[in-house]
Amino acid sequence: MADQLGSLSRTHTCGALRDSDVGGRATLLGWVHRVRDLGGVVFIDVRDREGITQVVIGSEPLLGQAKRLRSEYVVGVIGTVRQRAADTVNPKLPTGTVEVAADEIRVLNEAKTPPFSVSDDSTVSEDVRLRYRYLDLRRPRLQYNMGLRHRITMAVRQYFDREGFWEIETPILTKSTPEGARDYLVPSRVHPGEFFALPQSPQIFKQILMIGGMDRYFQIVKCFRDEDLRADRQPEFTQVDVEMAFARPESIFSTIEPLIQIIFREIGVEVAAPFRKLPYAEAMAKYGSDKPDLRFGLEITDVSDVWKDAAFNAFRDIVGKGGVVRALVVPGAAKYSRSELDALVEQAKQLGAVGILWARRGEGGGLNTNVKAAGESTLLASMEAAACRPEDLILLAGGEPDSASKLLGAFRLSLAKKENLIPANRYDFAWVVDFPLLEWDVDDKRWAPMHHPFTSPLDEDFGRLDSDPGHVRAKAYDLVLNGSEIGGGSIRIHDSAVQSRIFQLLNISEEDARLRFGFFVEALQYGTPPHGGIALGLDRIVAILAGETSIREVIAFPKTAAAVDLMSGAPSGVDDKQLRELRLKIAPTKT
Ligand code: ASP
C-alpha cells in the first residue's frame, strides 16, 4: 500500500532551490522524472509543475528503497540541500547547482509504466496522447501551454476589471442563438418534447445586459457549435466575449488593442497600435481573403483593362459582363519546372476552378504559357500592368471579382510558403471593416446575415436596404492576425423597427422571429442604448502565442477532429431508463 500524505507538507517546489538554500532542510512532493542507479548511489530527478530537482541517496536503508522507484511514481522526499560537485552541475536547470540529500522517502503512489515517455516531448501519435491526456498534461509542452493560457486569461480578467467591465455569466441551458451553425440540443426531462440549446455564443444575452443597464460586460465563456468537422475546429470553444453600451467601432478598437498588447507581452512581444484598418472589399481584391496574411506582400492586381478588347474571348467576355481578370506575380518563379507548373493547374482544379493561366518569359525573351490562345501581346501587357519582371511568373484568373481573387488568394498563401516569403516571428494585425451586411445563400435562394442578424448597417447605407441590399455594408469588424481571424464583432441594431426590417429581409417571418427571439425583440422596445461588442477566440490566440498550429494543444481536454473525447469516451449511449425519462426513442440508423 502507498504511504499516506500524513503531515508531510511541501517546503519548496521542485523549481525553487538555489545556492542560497544550501544547508537548509527541504521537503519536495512530486513525480519521479528519472532514476539513475549508479550502484552505490542513486540519483532521482523529482518533478512538479515548477521544475525538476535532483535528489541523491547514498546509503542504506534508503538505497534499497530508492532502487525500487520507477518513473512517474509519486514521492515525498525529505532531506538537506547541498551544493553539487562542480563537475555534476546541470546548467540547463535553474536548480542545477544544488541537490537534496534524502534522509526519508515516502512513496505516495506507484504508477503503471506509461504508454509513452512523460519526461520529454518525444513524438507520440495524437490519439494516444488524447487517450492518456493526464500523462500528456505532465509533459513539458502542455505544462507550458496551460501555464501560458492561465496567464493570458488572468491578464484578460485584470484588464477588463481595470477598464470598468463586469464579468457576468450567461446561461448554458438556453435558446438557440443565430450564429449560423447547428445547435447542440439538451432534452428537458421536466418538459418532455422540449429542448434547451447550448449557446453558440452569449450574443442575445449580452445585448440584453446592455438593455439591462450593465454598461460594460465581458465573460470568458464556452460556446458550442455543432459544425461539420473542419480541421482544427472544436465543438466547444472559448471566447472572450465583450459588449459595451454607447459604443462606436472605434470604442471597440481602442478597448481591444491595448488588451492585445498586454496579452502579447506574455511572450515578450511589443505590438504596435493602432492596428491597420482594411475594408473588406480591399482585403478581398488585394489578398483574396477576408482574413489576409499581411506578413508579406504578393498583392493581387487587377488587369481587366488589358483584356476588355482582347482577341481571347474567354477573358474578354468575362470583363464585358462585369467580371474581372486578376493577376498574381510570383517573384523568381519563372524558373519553375514544367511539373511544378502542372501542379499549379492541378491545384486550381482542386480549388474548384477550371484551371489557372500562367505565363512567363521563355529563354531568349519569348513568351511561354499554358494557354497559347490568350495571345502573346495581351499576356505581355498583363505582365507589364502587374509589374511582372523577366524572372517572375504571372498567374491570371478571370471571373466574378471575389471568386477570381479567392483563387489567387489561395495561391498567394501556398506559394508564399513554398517560396519561404513568410517572415517568422512577425505579428501583423488588422481590423477588416465594412463587411457586407448580407450574403446571398445560393442553396436557399435568400439573403443570409454575413455576421448575425443583429448587426447594424453603416449609417450611410441605410437608404439602400430596400433598393440594393446586397451592397449594404455593416458596422462589423474582424480582428485578423497573420491570416487567422482571432475575433469579430459589430455595432448592433438598437432600434426595434430596424431589427424587424432586417428580419423581413432575411425572410424570417414575424411569427418565426417571435418564436425564436421574441423575448429579445420585446426587450429592444424598452429603451435600448446604442451598443456593440466583439468576441475574441481565446483558443486560437493562445495557440498563436504558444507557437502551436492546432488549438488542441492549448485546450486541456480537447475533442478529436471527429468530435470525440478519446479519454472519457464521450459521446456514448445512455441507459434506456434515461431515455424513457426524457421520452426519447433512438431511431435505427439507416444502412
Ligand atoms: N457573437 C459573435 C460571435 O460569436 C461575436 C459578436 O458579435 O460579438 O462571433
Side-chain angles (χ1 to χ4, degrees):
M1 208 181 88
D3 291 332
Q4 297 304 308
L5 190 58
S7 59
L8 206 57
S9 108
R10 163 190 271 160
T11 57
H12 298 82
T13 69
C14 295
L17 293 173
R18 299 288 184 277
D19 288 345
S20 54
D21 297 301
V22 168
R25 301 280 294 164
T27 302
L28 305 176
L29 300 175
W31 284 263
V32 173
H33 188 68
R34 224 176 261 130
V35 184
R36 261 164 305 135
D37 185 348
L38 305 185
V41 54
V42 174
F43 292 100
I44 306 162
D45 286 344
V46 182
R47 181 196 72 232
D48 65 14
R49 201 182 69 188
E50 307 304 324
I52 293 173
T53 300
Q54 174 165 297
V55 172
V56 55
I57 299 107
S59 58
E60 294 294 357
L62 275 195
L63 202 55
Q65 192 189 3
K67 284 175 187 286
R68 287 192 296 276
L69 295 177
R70 296 286 170 266
S71 289
E72 300 312 311
Y73 276 27
V74 187
V75 291
V77 174
I78 305 171
T80 303
V81 184
R82 69 183 200 199
Q83 202 82 49
R84 286 205 208 181
D87 58 338
T88 64
V89 163
N90 181 348
K92 287 197 207 118
L93 291 181
T95 59
T97 56
V98 297
E99 61 192 7
V100 174
D103 39 55
E104 186 178 344
I105 296 177
R106 293 210 209 149
V107 179
L108 299 171
N109 219 337
E110 299 187 347
K112 287 171 72 171
T113 305
F116 51 83
S117 161
V118 170
S119 57
D120 57 39
D121 281 327
S122 55
T123 329
V124 181
S125 91
E126 196 183 15
D127 280 3
V128 176
R129 290 176 52 206
L130 291 176
R131 161 86 175 74
Y132 298 96
R133 190 59 157 181
Y134 38 88
L135 297 176
D136 197 26
L137 282 164
R138 285 186 204 160
R139 303 173 96 204
R141 177 181 187 177
L142 287 195
Q143 294 262 314
Y144 171 79
N145 289 358
M146 289 300 119
L148 178 67
R149 186 174 178 125
H150 162 74
R151 292 198 303 282
I152 291 170
T153 51
M154 290 312 284
V156 168
R157 288 206 158 93
Q158 281 158 2
Y159 173 76
F160 280 117
D161 180 49
R162 275 201 307 277
E163 295 298 312
F165 288 75
W166 289 357
E167 182 162 19
I168 304 175
E169 288 161 87
T170 51
I172 293 295
L173 294 177
T174 178
K175 245 176 132 76
S176 178
T177 31
E179 297 286 356
R182 196 179 291 112
D183 287 323
Y184 275 100
L185 297 177
V186 180
S188 162
R189 179 184 55 82
V190 186
H191 303 283
E194 296 186 359
F195 293 81
F196 293 104
L198 303 183
Q200 292 186 31
S201 82
Q203 186 61 34
I204 292 181
F205 285 100
K206 67 173 171 173
Q207 290 193 237
I208 292 182
L209 287 172
M210 296 304 103
I211 302 174
M214 290 295 140
D215 212 85
R216 294 177 149 215
Y217 143 96
F218 87 102
Q219 187 183 186
I220 298 182
V221 64
K222 277 286 178 77
C223 302
F224 306 85
R225 298 184 191 176
D226 189 1
E227 293 184 289
D228 283 337
L229 299 168
R230 267 190 269 167
D232 212 29
R233 287 276 173 130
Q234 286 282 306
E236 54 179 305
F237 57 93
T238 307
Q239 285 189 344
V240 177
D241 200 41
V242 182
E243 198 75 8
M244 293 166 81
F246 310 108
R248 280 173 279 115
E250 294 70 30
S251 340
I252 305 294
F253 303 160
S254 61
T255 300
I256 298 304
E257 287 171 1
L259 172 65
I260 296 289
Q261 290 178 311
I262 289 171
I263 290 176
F264 272 74
R265 274 182 211 129
E266 288 296 334
I267 55 159
V269 169
E270 269 313 310
V271 172
F275 301 161
R276 170 172 174 192
K277 316 240 171 1
L278 195 61
Y280 168 87
E282 188 184 333
M284 288 305 292
K286 282 195 185 156
Y287 307 103
S289 167
D290 60 1
K291 44 178 185 331
D293 191 335
L294 299 170
R295 286 174 295 176
F296 58 98
L298 280 200
E299 288 178 12
I300 298 164
T301 41
D302 195 298
V303 294
S304 309
D305 273 355
V306 176
W307 296 89
K308 58 178 195 290
D309 304 312
F312 183 50
N313 53 14
F315 278 2
R316 190 190 60 219
D317 292 353
I318 285 173
V319 176
K321 288 195 198 114
V324 296
V325 178
R326 288 190 173 154
L328 180 75
V329 173
V330 193
K335 62 175 185 305
Y336 278 7
S337 67
R338 194 61 204 217
S339 68
E340 281 176 299
L341 292 166
D342 289 347
L344 295 182
V345 177
E346 196 44 46
Q347 185 185 345
K349 288 184 184 153
Q350 270 163 19
L351 291 164
V354 272
I356 188 116
L357 192 161
W358 59 258
R360 61 179 169 183
R361 308 273 171 155
E363 320 246 303
L367 196 85
N368 182 215
T369 174
N370 61 334
V371 184
K372 293 243 163 34
E376 187 160 329
S377 62
T378 330
L379 287 173
L380 285 171
S382 297
M383 289 166 103
E384 167 99 37
C388 178
R389 302 163 308 167
E391 64 272 31
D392 303 337
L393 176 78
I394 192 167
L395 299 178
L396 292 167
E400 294 287 320
D402 278 5
S403 62
S405 273
K406 270 189 197 161
L407 178 65
L408 293 174
F411 280 107
R412 177 179 177 267
L413 290 179
S414 63
L415 291 170
K417 259 187 220 131
K418 178 170 152 84
E419 296 299 313
N420 277 326
L421 296 175
I422 309 181
N425 301 323
R426 256 190 80 152
Y427 299 93
D428 279 87
F429 290 89
W431 292 103
V432 176
V433 297
D434 299 346
F435 276 83
L437 183 71
L438 306 167
E439 57 190 343
W440 185 250
D441 183 327
V442 199
D443 296 331
D444 289 354
K445 299 204 178 44
R446 60 188 182 104
W447 291 111
M450 187 122 176
H451 196 51
H452 51 56
F454 314 117
T455 299
S456 171
L458 279 190
D459 297 344
E460 58 267 42
D461 286 3
F462 258 98
R464 270 195 238 157
L465 268 177
D466 294 308
S467 56
D468 188 8
H471 284 102
V472 174
R473 289 161 301 168
K475 286 185 197 162
Y477 30 79
D478 276 357
L479 180 56
V480 169
L481 165 61
N482 293 357
S484 292
E485 180 205 323
I486 60 167
S490 61
I491 301 301
R492 327 297 183 188
I493 296 164
H494 69 282
D495 176 329
S496 61
V498 176
Q499 188 63 75
S500 303
R501 177 76 197 94
I502 298 292
F503 285 151
Q504 268 171 20
L505 258 177
L506 297 174
N507 228 345
I508 302 177
S509 68
E510 258 179 54
E511 174 64 7
D512 205 17
R514 199 177 54 73
L515 282 174
R516 286 167 63 192
F517 345 100
F519 65 109
F520 173 63
V521 177
E522 184 180 43
L524 274 182
Q525 297 165 7
Y526 285 91
T528 301
H531 62 287
I534 189 165
L536 302 175
L538 184 68
D539 308 299
R540 170 63 48 212
I541 292 175
V542 180
I544 292 174
L545 266 77
E548 297 285 4
T549 48
S550 164
I551 60 173
R552 291 192 292 275
E553 301 298 351
V554 298
I555 298 173
F557 301 107
K559 313 256 182 308
T560 63
V564 297
D565 175 349
L566 290 177
M567 186 182 74
S568 72
S572 55
V574 295
D575 288 348
D576 284 347
K577 178 165 174 278
Q578 288 174 299
L579 288 177
R580 274 198 306 278
E581 274 177 346
L582 296 167
R583 305 237 241 134
L584 292 179
K585 266 209 180 89
I586 308 296
T589 12
K590 284 196 199 107
T591 43

